[in-house]
Amino acid sequence: TNPYPGAWAFRNALKIRLYESTIPKEVIRGRAGKVLFIQSEGPFIVCKDRAIKIIKYSFEVDTNLYLKHGDIINSYATNM
């Protein structure tokens, strides 16, 4: 949580700081790294076994950016 660095991931070359998350009651599966919004709720990020719901996050370079349904995040920077 703020002011600590938190966990992070990348959408393309943009670093995302993940400050707060929760494990939903529903088991949501899919492609690891995929961002989902289900019935306007989310973002959920699919992990290896199930998805987590991201409560608080921010893009490092621009706090006005948001995750979108279908985005792919990685633990490394890409130029996709």
Side-chain angles (χ1 to χ4, degrees), residues 4 6-7 11 15 27-28 30-32 35 46 51 55-56 58 63 67 70 72 78-79:
Y4 302 103
R11 186 186 77 192
K15 192 174 199 176
V27 176
I28 302 168
R31 177 181 173 194
V35 176
V46 179
I55 306 299
K56 186 175 179 185
S58 68
T63 57
L67 292 169
I72 301 294
T78 64
N79 291 321

Side-chain angles (χ1 to χ4, degrees), residues 9-16 59-61 76-80:
F10 294 91
R11 186 186 77 192
N12 301 326
L14 299 175
K15 192 174 199 176
I16 307 163
F59 281 84
E60 193 168 79
V61 294
Y76 53 89
T78 64
N79 291 321
M80 299 171 103

